[in-house]
Amino acid sequence: MPAKIQTGLIVVKQDLPCDVLLPNDESKAAMLDVRAKNNLETLSLEQLQRDIATKSSAVTHAVRPSCKG
């Protein structure tokens, strides 16, 4: 969708086309750790894929689509 049309819809509807989520305290702390290079660990691609698969299979609720810029 062209930006002008999307902006117009936001103005008319007074709503964004997706949820705007702010990080919780745990996520904020993790972001600060990464920036400061604290508490980092090395994972292989296989380990990361297993972790993601395990966590994503636990998600059972529906979510709105994310914003696409």
Side-chain angles (χ1 to χ4, degrees), residues 2-61:
K4 283 187 175 185
I5 293 173
Q6 190 168 9
T7 303
L9 288 172
I10 291 169
V11 171
V12 169
K13 290 183 174 185
Q14 294 292 301
D15 190 26
L16 294 174
C18 60
D19 291 331
V20 176
L21 303 174
L22 299 175
N24 61 21
D25 291 339
E26 183 180 0
S27 295
K28 288 178 191 176
M31 288 185 264
L32 291 172
D33 276 348
V34 168
R35 289 183 187 135
K37 297 184 179 172
N38 295 331
N39 301 320
L40 300 179
E41 62 182 276
T42 302
L43 294 174
S44 69
L45 177 58
E46 291 78 18
Q47 288 171 310
L48 184 58
Q49 289 172 328
R50 273 195 307 271
D51 288 352
I52 290 170
T54 302
K55 291 175 184 172
S56 66
S57 66
V59 175
T60 58
H61 63 278

